[in-house]
Amino acid sequence: MTDRRGVVAKRAEDLVPGVPYVRGWNRARRSAGTLADQLVLLGLDSDFPALMADVNVLGDGLVQLGAVRPDAAEMLAKLIAAGLQAELHGTTAETSAV
């Protein structure tokens, strides 16, 4: 199973020699850890109890959020949008100051 961009393939259950599963999983582990740290700071860690690193059959790292309540997903979406807004505003402010 893959998404429309071919990014997410089936989870790796049977490993194939030569596929960099450990590299992909390690990258996913670091990313999941970074996200978990931020969720703790925001007090949202209990809303994402199934957050974990995984890897697909191609060796691509995956971060699984697990099943979450709709309000937790909405809050995460709002936080991402607010971060993008702040980043855009910061970039605009830096450009106009030059």
Side-chain angles (χ1 to χ4, degrees), residues 1-83:
M1 165 174 64
T2 59
D3 65 51
R4 62 191 160 100
R5 290 184 241 158
V7 175
V8 181
K10 194 171 103 179
R11 281 185 71 237
E13 294 177 4
D14 297 320
L15 304 182
V16 177
V19 178
Y21 297 110
V22 174
R23 184 180 308 134
W25 180 84
N26 194 39
R27 182 164 186 239
R29 183 182 60 81
R30 286 191 310 269
S31 296
T34 299
L35 179 57
D37 291 344
Q38 294 303 308
L39 291 172
V40 167
L41 292 174
L42 295 166
L44 297 174
D45 50 314
S46 62
D47 291 315
F48 295 86
L51 176 67
M52 65 179 228
D54 204 347
V55 67
N56 68 18
V57 294
L58 303 174
D60 300 324
L62 306 172
V63 175
Q64 294 196 24
L65 300 179
V68 297
R69 296 174 311 170
D71 57 329
E74 186 175 349
M75 177 61 76
L76 184 59
K78 287 179 180 179
L79 289 167
I80 291 169

